[in-house]
Amino acid sequence: MDVCIVGTGYVGLSTAVGFAGHGHRVTCVDIDPRRVNDINSGRCPIFEPGMDGSMKSSVGKNLLKATLDLKAAMASSEAVFISVPTPCDDDGRMDTKFIDKASKDIAGNLSGYKVIIVKSTVVPGTTENIVKKNLEAAGKELGTDFGLCMNPEFLREGHALEDFLRPDRIVIGSTDKKAGDLVQKLYDGFNAPVLRTDIKTAEMIKYASNGFLATKITFANEIGNICKPLGIDVYKVMEGVGLDSRIGPKFLRAGCGFGGSCFPKDVQALLSKGREAGYEPKLLETVLETNAKQRKLMVHHLKSKMDLKGKRIAVLGLAFNPDTDDVRESAAIDTVQGLLEHGANVIVYDPKAMENFRKVFPGIKYASSSREALNGADACVIATDWEEFKRLEAKDFKEMKNSIVIEGRRTLDRNKVKSFEGVCW
Ligand code: UGA
């Protein structure tokens, strides 16, 4: 099938590369000429495992290309995906400006029946109140000129392509059967259950999933905070809890709180939408408050051990997740901010995310390896569980002035490195 994808962030690119890998002819549309160039040269504009090779191969087979020209891309496509960002505005509500613009542009270039599919995470009502309305305002008729679907994604950064190709489920919300059937056909050959719903339900499934996962992590963190002073290892506790098939073992890794471009903004947007609907979502509010405190805990623990003023503190791990260079809402941001506020001299290291972190904190020191960061440090904080850090051994910490290490993630091998303190274990 011929597919057009508007917006080439994590979601758009994973969808494009994933569909092209399944033999569909995909055209990506973006407003950034550099991105378009990168894609057409077979270079993935983001760091994401597996993406470079798959992109190169699909571009080489003429199954994947990119353009600035929406009209040309749409002309040859049966399905048009919208995968533009949906950030939060200053009041915590979902900002619809990109969805609004993309759907107006699509409406202006629509000729012949096409299915328009929202892939961006949008609060319930958005697809019908913005996308459908914009198309209708341009004189297009639902069912005749266009079909409308909402097909949420469930990709984790760092595993985006793998999650796209091997999903737990495919959710397709549609206004009518014909449009939904076309989208379902795109996923032929994917080994996953397909759930067909109306549009608003599909939109809500995405928010409810992210809200639940954020709550699950926060629950593990809370149990960890209770376990720590009692001398109980929360990781063993959660192993025992997760073996209950009603609960499951995933997303129970306690640590320095969730970050990234999704959980914080999506929980906030769901909270705002709930309030708008006349309900006070106390649980979601508590999740955000508890998570904000959790992200400050590493500095709190360090402060209880030393006066941070003038001390050299190494921060290992700047990305919000391993295997990504994305630092949005990463625990390292709160940590470095807290350390600087207490007068510490901060030196940081990350295998991939230094360039992005430098945009947030241009004035701190950047080391070229974990060893360089640890050398002479009064203390160290580990904020991301990169594989590289898992291989650190006790001798790697010997170059520190004091071997005080606070782990925000359960990174170090307990058998090799025993003398370190976890944020909530
Ligand atoms: C999340 C969801 O997992 C995806 O299903 C969803 O599609 C995506 O948001 C989205 O809405 O686009 P992502 O934020 O990329 O994916 O990455 P996760 O692996 O979920 O991690 C989010 C945060 O939770 C990270 O800071 C991670 O360290 C933290 N986390 C995760 C924990 O603290 N403990 C865990 O057990 C798991």
Side-chain angles (χ1 to χ4, degrees):
M1 215 181 280
D2 287 284
V3 181
C4 166
I5 297 181
V6 181
T8 61
Y10 279 90
V11 175
L13 282 173
S14 313
T15 308
V17 171
F19 278 147
H22 271 256
H24 297 298
R25 286 173 300 276
V26 181
T27 307
C28 296
V29 182
D30 206 288
I31 50 167
D32 179 352
R34 244 188 29 208
R35 278 196 166 230
V36 167
N37 237 339
D38 276 352
I39 297 168
N40 287 331
S41 317
R43 275 190 311 268
C44 185
I46 54 167
F47 171 70
E48 188 63 42
M51 204 82 115
D52 254 334
S54 306
M55 181 172 275
K56 207 167 273 151
S57 149
S58 291
V59 170
K61 290 180 195 156
N62 284 327
L63 288 172
L64 178 62
K65 61 178 191 275
T67 176
L68 298 165
D69 186 349
L70 175 65
K71 194 184 180 91
M74 279 180 61
S76 57
S77 301
E78 294 161 77
V80 181
F81 280 87
I82 301 179
S83 58
V84 295
T86 50
C88 273
D89 67 14
D90 292 342
D91 301 324
R93 284 194 303 256
M94 192 193 83
D95 187 339
T96 55
K97 65 172 178 281
F98 298 116
I99 285 279
D100 189 44
K101 165 130 187 20
S103 51
K104 279 182 178 151
D105 290 348
I106 288 169
N109 288 294
L110 187 67
S111 62
Y113 177 87
K114 305 198 187 300
V115 178
I116 314 299
I117 307 127
V118 174
K119 200 56 149 150
S120 304
T121 299
V122 293
V123 290
T126 309
T127 303
E128 281 156 312
N129 295 337
I130 295 181
V131 179
K132 179 167 159 263
K133 278 208 177 127
N134 283 341
L135 284 151
E136 287 174 343
K140 309 296 176 191
E141 197 182 322
L142 179 66
T144 310
D145 299 313
F146 70 98
L148 193 60
C149 289
M150 202 280 151
N151 171 219
E153 55 80 21
F154 303 100
L155 322 169
R156 293 161 301 159
E157 284 184 29
H159 301 265
L161 189 55
E162 175 195 330
D163 286 351
F164 183 83
L165 294 172
R166 277 177 285 281
D168 286 342
R169 78 295 208 190
I170 294 158
V171 175
I172 302 169
S174 62
T175 45
D176 60 80
K177 189 171 172 323
K178 180 179 162 191
D181 285 352
L182 184 134
V183 176
Q184 187 161 345
K185 206 162 163 26
L186 272 172
Y187 287 98
D188 268 358
F190 281 65
N191 183 22
V194 176
L195 181 69
R196 298 279 293 262
T197 68
D198 61 23
I199 298 245
K200 271 200 284 200
T201 306
E203 291 170 327
M204 191 50 137
I205 287 171
K206 172 62 197 248
Y207 278 92
S209 301
N210 274 6
F212 182 77
L213 290 170
T215 306
K216 201 174 176 192
I217 296 167
T218 305
F219 179 80
N221 290 342
E222 183 134 296
I223 296 296
N225 293 339
I226 299 171
C227 283
K228 186 174 165 76
L230 300 178
I232 300 167
D233 181 0
V234 63
Y235 273 70
K236 258 289 165 238
V237 171
M238 286 306 152
E239 194 183 329
V241 171
L243 283 168
D244 186 324
S245 63
R246 293 169 301 175
I247 299 173
K250 293 183 182 162
F251 280 68
L252 286 175
R253 281 179 289 116
C256 53
F258 60 77
S261 65
C262 305
F263 287 165
K265 93 165 160 63
D266 291 350
V267 177
Q268 183 57 60
L270 183 55
L271 179 61
S272 301
K273 193 71 192 170
R275 282 188 186 141
E276 215 178 284
Y279 174 74
E280 189 57 37
K282 280 274 171 221
L283 177 64
L284 297 176
E285 199 180 312
T286 307
V287 165
L288 287 179
E289 277 171 21
T290 312
N291 190 58
K293 281 193 202 145
Q294 199 72 14
R295 284 164 40 159
K296 296 189 189 333
L297 263 189
M298 294 192 290
V299 175
H300 171 82
H301 287 316
L302 261 189
K303 238 178 65 188
S304 69
K305 292 179 192 303
M306 62 169 78
D307 176 8
L308 291 168
K309 201 167 167 42
K311 297 286 184 344
R312 178 183 162 108
I313 311 293
V315 177
L316 300 185
L318 308 174
F320 84 93
N321 239 2
D323 292 318
T324 176
D325 59 0
D326 195 340
V327 301
R328 285 177 286 179
E329 300 266 350
S330 86
I333 292 182
D334 289 46
T335 303
V336 169
Q337 187 61 44
L339 292 170
L340 294 175
E341 279 163 16
H342 288 97
N345 294 323
V346 181
I347 179 158
V348 300
Y349 170 72
D350 187 283
K352 290 281 174 203
M354 307 251 269
E355 210 180 303
N356 284 335
F357 206 73
R358 216 186 279 272
K359 292 175 198 152
V360 189
F361 291 103
I364 57 172
K365 290 197 196 83
Y366 287 80
S368 55
S369 65
S370 308
R371 281 237 174 114
E372 188 191 329
L374 292 171
N375 198 348
D378 291 282
C380 164
V381 169
I382 304 180
T384 317
D385 43 348
W386 281 98
E387 275 303 315
E388 182 178 324
F389 302 154
K390 289 187 182 155
R391 290 193 294 272
L392 290 171
E393 301 199 27
K395 67 173 169 41
D396 295 311
F397 294 91
K398 289 264 163 66
E399 299 303 313
M400 294 174 69
K401 208 189 262 175
N402 298 304
S403 57
I404 297 175
V405 180
I406 308 284
E407 272 192 284
R409 311 278 173 206
R410 186 69 154 247
T411 315
L412 303 170
D413 184 338
R414 300 293 95 188
N415 298 317
K416 286 189 204 153
V417 186
K418 295 203 172 85
S419 59
F420 303 124
E421 185 172 332
V423 67
C424 53
W425 57 90

